[in-house]
Amino acid sequence: MNKKITVLPGDGIGPEIVAEAVKVLDKIAKKYGHSFEYTYVDIGGCSIDKYGVPITDEGMALCKSADSVLLGAVGGPKWDSCPANIRPEKALLAVRKELGLFANLRPTKLFSQLADASPLKKEIVGGGIDLLIVRELTGGVYFGERKTEEVNGELVAVDYMPYSEHEIERIGRVAFETAMKRGKRLASVDKANVLDTSRLWRKTMHRLSEEYPQVEYSDILVDNTAMQLIKNPTQFDVLVTENMFGDILSDEASMLTGSIGMMPSASLSSGTLGMYEPIHGSAPDIAGMNIANPLGTILSAAMMLRYSFDMAKEADDIEAAVNKVLDAGYRTCDIMKDGCTKVLCDQMGELVIANI
Ligand code: NAD
């Protein structure tokens, strides 16, 4: 298969970790007879420095015309004082919007080799955490109308949280389809005891659940979900939720693994085009030192193969290689512990390649 990938290395450690993911994709291409064609585009602070904007129109067009997009990370203190409309993060929101990326998939996997890194007790994570949050990404309160006005002599702020049936249905379908490919259990997270948007959410999810009788479906309130993620995280397979709840819960869930450098993510559209990136930022404190953990980006590349290119075997191959490298005791400094071998960012990439 021939695939066009637009690569957005970005700022800070972005170029270092993306280089390792691209090397891994090249190894997969060689092994399975595919051809991946890369086009590099500046995004974030480096684009502001060169062109005065966080992403150019040409760069955006290259994202839209690709089969998939691989992102490192954007931002850093150098651009913190930029005016709001040209901050590095603006480019990410723009790409999500332009590409129609309405579904954010964030797996939370506690690799058994890294169980010590979890802030939770061993008896709680014993069975291993392996859950996936499907977050609606382009609707709800982050995109609703907002205003601040003076009422009776004081300021009053309002943020609207609109959701239409079709927005709920399309994210619901992604969640049910994803559950079908995993453990066939789906919990839909809402606040239906209070919010109208949540009641419509629940009604729509119930209707969809009739189309997926193989999936064990349940509703759970968002406050209870926040507790259950700490009390009993191994009970979950797939969780689906709206934009703001998903933002908060996916950060909470990622912390259960204690290793931000390991976590991949995918943002999907209604077609096969998606954007794949690690969940962490540009880590300016370690940029240019070749010590960043590239595994979150490498696992994001695996998600690209699985979700955009329908290459499940190839994705499994990368994930198995990461497991083997961890089993052999190799660690970048963020996940280093006694008795293991410390490796640099590019050495970690090479080790994964050697195990594919
Ligand atoms: P961060 O995720 O960049 O870093 C937090 C801590 O985790 C740092 O100590 C860093 O060294 C460490 N870390 C992160 N990724 C690592 C990796 N792969 N290997 C080893 N250690 C790693 O968060 P921050 O410091 O709050 O943000 C830095 C910049 O990144 C800011 O400008 C922020 O706006 C931006 N940011 C970008 C994205 C994105 O591009 N998607 C996401 C979050 C933050």
Side-chain angles (χ1 to χ4, degrees), residues 11 13 17 71-77 79-80 87-89 92 96 106 260-262 277-287 291-297 332-335:
D11 307 313
I13 59 170
I17 53 179
L71 170 75
V74 299
W79 304 282
D80 278 351
R87 285 181 63 93
E89 302 77 20
L92 294 186
R96 281 178 194 163
R106 266 210 198 181
I260 198 172
M262 298 289 303
E277 58 181 307
I279 68 159
H280 58 74
S282 60
D285 52 335
I286 57 167
I291 59 169
N293 184 345
L295 293 178
T297 319
T332 42
C333 54
D334 57 313
I335 49 174

Side-chain angles (χ1 to χ4, degrees), residues 195-206:
L195 302 175
D196 259 19
T197 42
S198 281
R199 283 191 273 269
L200 181 61
W201 181 278
R202 195 174 276 206
K203 197 172 147 202
T204 311
M205 289 294 168
H206 280 209

Side-chain angles (χ1 to χ4, degrees), residues 289-315:
M289 297 162 76
N290 193 21
I291 59 169
N293 184 345
L295 293 178
T297 319
I298 289 171
L299 292 168
S300 299
M303 288 187 87
M304 173 188 288
L305 300 180
R306 189 180 301 286
Y307 292 103
S308 280
F309 301 165
D310 207 15
M311 297 179 184
K313 205 155 40 108
E314 291 84 335

Side-chain angles (χ1 to χ4, degrees), residues 156-174:
V156 176
V158 185
D159 298 287
Y160 287 100
M161 184 180 183
Y163 264 111
S164 63
E165 257 181 303
H166 86 269
E167 286 175 307
I168 302 170
E169 181 167 337
R170 68 181 182 177
I171 189 74
R173 283 200 186 282
V174 170

Side-chain angles (χ1 to χ4, degrees), residues 18 41-42 51 113-114 116 135-136 177 185 221 234 242 274 298 315 332-334 340 346:
V18 161
V41 167
D42 289 315
Y51 310 109
Q113 305 92 328
L114 304 179
D116 291 344
R135 167 190 168 196
E136 203 290 327
E177 294 291 338
R185 285 182 297 117
L221 292 173
T234 60
E242 65 86 45
I298 289 171
T332 42
C333 54
D334 57 313
C340 290
D346 57 357

